[in-house]
Amino acid sequence: MTEVQKSTLQAADDEAKRFKSRLEQGKDRFLAHAIEHALESGRRSPEDFVRHFTPDAIMEGLAHQPRLRASILVLTTGLKQKIAARKSWQSAAEDLQIALDEGETDCESIVGVFKPDDRVRFLDSKKIWQFLVEGDFWDAPASDQDKYRISKEHTAFMLERALLDNLVTHADIVEGITVAEMAKRLPKTELGKIIEGALAKSKSSKPFTEVDLLAEMPPFVLVEYVPLPHVYKSVIAEKIALAHGYVEPAKTETAPKATAPDNGAKPLVEAPPAANAKPLAGAKPAADAAPESSGPDSKDWVDVPGSDSDDEAFDDEVSEEDFGMS
């Protein structure tokens, strides 16, 4: 077992003995434990926490919790309980900020008296997540051994905690990382353990599932071989943070519809007017319009050339001769 694996297991054991969240929802318990582990492992500091959650932000979150506000003031500023209990959240925030500025208290004391479950109960979960992931710990360079070790520990802890709090399933983790990535990254000795486990299962006619795979390759082993950016983006960011509302879904912008430029050009062919189209204002009525050109079937009268001369007058009277009668 490597030093990282021993350190991760020890940290998990210590954290389990020291603190156990009593929050009802798994996604809240996960945050409470993740904050504690981040602080205990040194990945985050009390100064980081108070930078994200100033006295004003803390006391506003406790606006409807006068007893908690008073408790924090008493333990950090030395204010008397009865006086602290009567202060508004704005006044409490001002007193706590003054005590911090004057060195009468410090960030570690503030974080210490602000209990883990209460942090999650009364602070915004999305802001807590921003505090947890600030600094992109999954991109820690391997050259910085301490920072890289802590990043691997914290990544493994998040995966284990998400399983315990039912935020993800074993299948979610395996599907996120993918078997292909594991086969590419894991050394032959580790792959051999997986094959042996699968063969042992087959002898008892039982399927080898994702639960069995992660039993052979638990998170603290996976982070030794699978790149942390891949683990974070494929599992923690997608299947934990996004799935449980710690971050907002990315907004997809729709491109505006393309419109043809109006350059004043007229269409080559005029479209015929619709059958029920109304005449435009000022247009002449159909009766005043010029007659259409006469064709063979036209019923309109036409002028015959020369019909106006006296010697070739046209007789339009009907007589018996027209019917061949004498």
Side-chain angles (χ1 to χ4, degrees):
M1 184 178 292
T2 67
E3 290 300 319
V4 171
Q5 294 170 5
K6 292 178 181 178
S7 179
T8 302
L9 288 176
Q10 184 62 47
D13 290 341
D14 292 344
E15 194 270 345
K17 294 174 183 177
R18 181 181 59 260
F19 166 68
K20 184 176 182 181
S21 175
R22 297 182 181 278
L23 295 172
E24 293 183 3
Q25 296 190 19
K27 65 178 185 178
D28 293 335
R29 294 195 301 272
F30 173 84
L31 284 183
H33 285 279
I35 294 173
E36 279 296 279
H37 187 269
L39 292 169
E40 289 295 328
S41 67
R43 209 201 72 72
R44 300 267 72 190
S45 69
E47 289 74 19
D48 294 326
F49 186 89
V50 175
R51 178 166 48 82
H52 279 260
F53 301 101
T54 62
D56 193 67
I58 292 172
M59 292 305 178
E60 185 177 7
L62 300 174
H64 302 292
Q65 305 296 324
R67 290 184 179 180
L68 283 177
R69 293 201 310 269
S71 176
I72 292 175
L73 282 181
V74 169
L75 294 172
T76 55
T77 69
L79 196 64
K80 297 294 184 179
Q81 177 71 34
K82 291 182 179 180
I83 298 174
R86 297 187 64 178
K87 283 185 169 289
S88 66
W89 74 262
Q90 293 92 339
S91 179
E94 185 178 5
D95 285 356
L96 186 58
Q97 185 65 60
I98 291 172
L100 190 61
D101 294 340
E102 296 298 327
E104 294 299 324
T105 190
D106 54 29
C107 297
E108 186 175 0
S109 298
I110 293 173
V111 172
V113 299
F114 194 12
K115 301 303 180 183
D117 280 356
D118 289 337
R119 299 167 194 158
V120 178
R121 282 192 185 102
F122 303 114
L123 298 178
D124 183 80
S125 62
K126 292 181 177 63
K127 292 181 180 179
I128 291 176
W129 188 256
Q130 291 172 7
F131 157 75
L132 284 171
V133 301
E134 183 184 44
D136 298 348
F137 64 90
W138 54 92
D139 282 330
S143 56
D144 189 337
Q145 294 183 1
D146 287 341
K147 193 172 183 179
Y148 188 56
R149 173 184 57 78
I150 292 172
S151 296
K152 288 192 290 186
E153 289 176 12
H154 196 54
T155 301
F157 178 86
M158 280 187 157
L159 295 180
E160 291 281 7
R161 193 70 235 177
L163 285 169
L164 289 172
D165 292 319
N166 297 317
L167 268 63
V168 294
T169 63
H170 294 77
D172 289 331
I173 294 178
V174 173
E175 289 170 6
I177 296 176
T178 73
V179 173
E181 183 70 15
M182 292 182 191
K184 177 181 176 183
R185 302 291 182 179
L186 294 177
K188 291 181 179 179
T189 54
E190 302 294 351
L191 287 174
K193 294 178 183 178
I194 296 175
I195 294 172
E196 288 176 1
L199 291 174
K201 277 281 187 175
S202 66
K203 292 178 180 178
S204 59
S205 300
K206 294 180 180 179
F208 186 79
T209 67
E210 292 88 351
V211 176
D212 300 310
L213 193 153
L214 288 183
E216 298 293 340
M217 293 291 111
F220 64 78
V221 174
L222 290 176
V223 298
E224 289 287 342
Y225 306 108
V226 180
L228 296 185
H230 180 74
V231 177
Y232 178 83
K233 293 174 184 177
S234 64
V235 182
I236 296 176
E238 186 71 24
K239 299 182 182 296
I240 297 176
L242 184 60
H244 295 283
Y246 302 146
V247 296
E248 293 288 349
K251 295 182 179 179
T252 55
E253 296 183 1
T254 56
K257 293 183 179 180
T259 56
D262 184 8
N263 55 10
K266 294 183 178 180
L268 296 178
V269 180
E270 293 280 351
N276 59 352
K278 295 181 180 180
L280 299 175
K284 291 184 178 182
D288 296 337
E292 298 179 1
S293 58
S294 303
D297 298 329
S298 175
K299 296 181 181 180
D300 295 332
W301 292 102
V302 297
D303 292 332
V304 179
S307 61
D308 293 336
S309 61
D310 294 338
D311 56 342
E312 294 182 9
F314 181 71
D315 184 8
D316 59 352
E317 293 184 2
V318 180
S319 65
E320 294 179 353
E321 294 179 357
D322 294 326
F323 296 94
M325 297 175 63
S326 55

